């Protein structure tokens, strides 16, 4: 049973140390809208609608995630096009935010940075799908230098800032993992994502419905690494929406065959990948 294109990562929960510091980044600078605030959490979205994109959970006693451990590599916020991406880039640039890289991936154009707690953030827009190059069932991806002028030249009104575009969503999530084979077994054989690229050194990419990738895994800094401590900042869970409950039941059955503990309640299935990343599947 193959997962269709309607499969979508809808939200990510992050543990952070200082809520005010994080909101200055995510809301004041990036322009995400605060949907709800509680005693120790904030829900953020690109528009005034649920579900939220990011849930920030404050723990003032949390410690930065240790180097070499598994966990979140980056959350990728997907923009409708170059123009919307350019607007946020210029906003961050003018506010002297430190960038970590700019890449042309052949299927998309990306800007990399991190939040105040060191969580990786990718801001990207897809290139037209009809120019993605597929060979032998795998999409060709690369990491080439990105000419930022191609992005910024899309804007004829660069001084305007009205917040992030409301159609921004989570295009994919990328994990640091300890073992590629175990991650492949989980995301491909158990969850049912297709392998879309296995030729990139030290990484594997998975998707549903012919997208270039919804999930990426790599061992670039975490090969044979341990899971982070429970009090570490970073990923708490990510939620993936799939089409109907029959998919949840089939995933639960496959997970049990691999002795993976699951929790299926109504339309929500919870389980953990081999590196203890909590995955929530919902309809």
């Amino acid at each position: 049973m193959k997962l269709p294109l309607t499969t979508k990562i809808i939200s990510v929960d992050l543990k952070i140390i200082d809520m005010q510091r994080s909101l200055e980044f995510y809301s004041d600078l990036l322009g995400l809208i605060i949907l709800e605030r509680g005693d120790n959490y904030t829900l953020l979205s690109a528009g005034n609608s649920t579900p939220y994109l990011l849930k920030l959970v404050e723990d003032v006693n949390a410690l930065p995630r240790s180097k070499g451990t598994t966990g979140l590599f980056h959350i990728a916020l997907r923009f409708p096009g170059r123009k919307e991406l350019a607007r946020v880039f210029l906003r961050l640039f003018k506010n002297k935010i430190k960038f970590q890289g700019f890449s042309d991936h052949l299927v998309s154009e990306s800007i990399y940075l991190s939040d105040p707690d060191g969580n990786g953030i990718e801001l990207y827009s897809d290139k037209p799908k009809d120019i993605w190059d597929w060979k032998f069932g795998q999409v060709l991806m690369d990491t080439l230098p990105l000419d930022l002028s191609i992005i910024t030249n899309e804007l004829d009104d660069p001084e305007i800032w009205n917040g992030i575009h409301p159609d921004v969503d989570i295009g994919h999530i990328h994990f640091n993992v300890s073992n590629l084979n175990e991650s492949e077994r989980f995301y491909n054989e158990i969850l049912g994502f297709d392998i879309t690229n296995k030729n990139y050194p030290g990484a594997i990419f998975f998707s549903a419905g012919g997208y270039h990738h919804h999930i990426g895994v790599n061992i670039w800094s975490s090969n044979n690494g341990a899971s982070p401590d429970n009090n570490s900042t970073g990923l708490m869970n990510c939620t993936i929406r799939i089409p109907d409950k029959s998919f949840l039941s089939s995933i639960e059955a496959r997970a049990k065959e691999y002795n993976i503990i699951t929790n299926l309640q109504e339309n929500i299935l919870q389980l953990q990948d081999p590196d203890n990343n909590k995955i929530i599947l919902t309809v």
Side-chain angles (χ1 to χ4, degrees), residues 10-176:
I10 57 174
S11 62
V12 173
D13 292 14
L14 294 175
K15 182 185 293 186
I16 52 97
I17 295 174
D18 185 322
M19 184 64 74
Q20 185 57 41
R21 181 180 68 173
S22 290
L23 289 180
E24 288 174 0
F25 174 80
Y26 284 107
S27 183
D28 296 348
L29 287 178
L30 274 182
L32 291 172
I33 294 171
I34 297 173
L35 293 179
E36 181 181 324
R37 287 200 68 171
D39 291 339
N40 73 326
Y41 74 90
T42 301
L43 305 183
L44 297 166
S45 179
N48 283 309
S49 60
T50 55
Y52 63 87
L53 293 183
L54 295 177
K55 180 178 182 180
L56 305 178
V57 180
E58 182 183 59
D59 182 350
V60 297
N61 296 313
L63 297 174
R65 181 181 138 208
S66 299
K67 292 183 178 180
T69 56
T70 60
L72 180 69
F73 184 59
H74 63 237
I75 303 165
L77 298 179
R78 177 174 55 184
F79 289 72
R82 283 175 172 170
K83 185 173 183 177
E84 294 77 23
L85 180 62
R87 197 173 300 283
V88 170
F89 163 70
L90 289 176
R91 166 81 169 172
L92 297 172
F93 178 78
K94 290 174 183 177
N95 282 274
K96 297 181 172 57
I97 293 296
K98 184 178 179 180
F99 296 98
Q100 297 174 335
F102 310 94
S103 297
D104 180 339
H105 292 303
L106 302 183
V107 295
S108 60
E109 294 164 327
S110 302
I111 296 167
Y112 293 94
L113 64 159
S114 64
D115 76 0
D117 290 283
N119 296 305
I121 305 293
E122 177 183 351
L123 311 175
Y124 82 104
S125 61
D126 284 326
K127 293 186 178 183
K129 192 172 183 178
D130 59 7
I131 69 169
W132 300 355
D133 189 3
W134 291 83
K135 292 184 178 178
F136 306 107
Q138 297 199 36
V139 65
L140 184 62
M141 294 193 290
D142 204 338
T143 299
L144 305 174
L146 176 64
D147 182 354
L148 281 170
S149 66
I150 294 176
I151 306 297
T152 56
N153 285 345
E154 294 284 330
L155 282 179
D156 53 10
D157 51 359
E159 300 303 320
I160 292 178
W161 174 251
N162 293 315
I164 203 166
H165 194 280
D167 291 337
V168 167
D169 62 3
I170 298 175
H172 63 268
I173 188 168
H174 197 142
F175 300 106
N176 297 118

Side-chain angles (χ1 to χ4, degrees), residues 210-224:
Y211 192 54
H212 53 74
H213 71 292
H214 288 102
I215 294 170
V217 299
N218 76 69
I219 54 169
W220 299 329
S221 65
S222 55
N223 191 28
N224 297 319

